[in-house]
Amino acid sequence: PVPPENAIADYTRAIEMDGASVDTLCLALNWRGEAYRTLPVPELDKAVADFTQVIGLDDAPTDRMAYALIGRGIVSGLYLDPPEFESEVADYTSVIEMDGVSTGYRVKALMNRGGSYGRYDPPQIDLAVADYTTIIHMAEVPELERIAALAFIGVTYHFLDTPDPDGEIAAYTALIDPPRRGAGVGPQEVCEPRPANRAQSRHAPSIAHPRDS
C-alpha cells in the first residue's frame, strides 16, 4: 500500500488539477481526508476540512457526500478526545436520511450510529439495538451485513456493566438459525428493548466506512 504521506501529495495534485470533474474532486478530497486520518500522527483538522469541503459542495454526488459524512463522523466519535458524539451521530443520521444514497452507505451509517449510541455516557442501548435491528429488517441488505448486525447486538448486550445474557443469547441464536434472520425477519426477543441494566457499557462495536472504488 502507498504510505499516507505519498498518497496525500497525489490527492493534492488531483484536487488542484484544472478541469477535474466534481466527482474526481470529491473522490480526491475524501481519500486525502482518509489519508490525513490514518497518518502515524493523524492530522484530524485537515481530515475534517477535506470531508467538510465535500459536504459543502451543492453538486457533490450523493455517495461521495455520504462517504464524507461518515468519514467526518468517525473522526468526531473515535479520534477526538473527548469524543463529540452528538456531531458523530448527526453526520451518520444525515446519511441514513439522505435521498438516493446507496444501501451500502446507509448500512454503514446505521452500523456506526449504533456503535456511537453504545459509547454514549450513559449508553443508549435501546437506540443502538434499534439501528442494528433496522439493518436486519432491510430486505436488500447482503446476508453478511445482517449477520454482522446480529453479532453487534450480542456484543452490545455482553459488554454492559450488568450483561444481559438473554438478549445476547437471542442474538447469537438468530445467527445460527438462518430462517430467523431472513430478509425482513428479526427475532422479536432481539428487536424489542430489553429490561437490562443500561447504566454503563464497557464496549460498543463500531466499524469504519467502505473504501470508494
Side-chain angles (χ1 to χ4, degrees):
V2 177
E5 298 88 345
N6 295 350
I8 287 169
D10 289 341
Y11 299 145
T12 299
R13 283 194 289 272
I15 291 164
E16 296 174 349
M17 188 182 303
D18 290 336
S21 68
V22 173
D23 186 65
T24 297
L25 175 62
C26 291
L27 192 62
L29 284 165
N30 277 336
W31 284 6
R32 190 175 70 173
E34 190 74 4
Y36 280 133
R37 182 180 70 83
T38 56
L39 285 168
V41 179
E43 297 187 28
L44 300 180
D45 289 346
K46 292 180 179 179
V48 168
D50 279 351
F51 293 137
T52 300
Q53 186 172 341
V54 175
I55 294 163
L57 292 172
D58 292 336
D59 50 353
T62 300
D63 279 359
R64 302 303 187 208
M65 186 177 295
Y67 187 107
L69 284 161
I70 293 173
R72 191 173 68 176
I74 289 170
V75 171
S76 297
L78 295 178
Y79 284 80
L80 297 184
D81 186 15
E84 296 180 0
F85 289 127
E86 291 184 3
S87 296
E88 180 187 18
V89 166
D91 280 342
Y92 299 151
T93 300
S94 293
V95 175
I96 293 163
E97 297 177 350
M98 189 181 292
D99 290 336
V101 72
S102 67
T103 297
Y105 283 109
R106 182 168 282 118
V107 168
K108 300 307 179 188
L110 283 163
M111 288 279 198
N112 284 14
R113 191 174 70 172
S116 181
Y117 284 140
R119 297 191 308 275
Y120 264 48
D121 186 14
Q124 305 296 308
I125 300 302
D126 290 347
L127 293 176
V129 171
D131 276 350
Y132 299 140
T133 300
T134 296
I135 296 168
I136 295 168
H137 282 282
M138 292 171 66
E140 68 273 25
V141 171
E143 182 72 354
L144 286 178
E145 300 283 11
R146 190 172 289 111
I147 289 170
L150 281 163
F152 282 180
I153 291 174
V155 170
T156 298
Y157 284 134
H158 177 81
F159 282 100
L160 290 168
D161 266 6
T162 301
D164 180 353
D166 291 339
E168 183 181 4
I169 289 170
Y172 295 149
T173 298
L175 283 173
I176 60 178
D177 186 2
R180 300 178 70 192
R181 65 170 189 266
V185 176
Q188 193 69 13
E189 62 269 33
V190 173
C191 298
E192 290 185 346
R194 302 192 56 79
N197 177 356
R198 292 170 170 76
Q200 296 293 330
S201 177
R202 293 172 281 138
H203 175 79
S206 183
I207 60 172
H209 53 75
R211 182 73 163 169
D212 270 326
S213 58

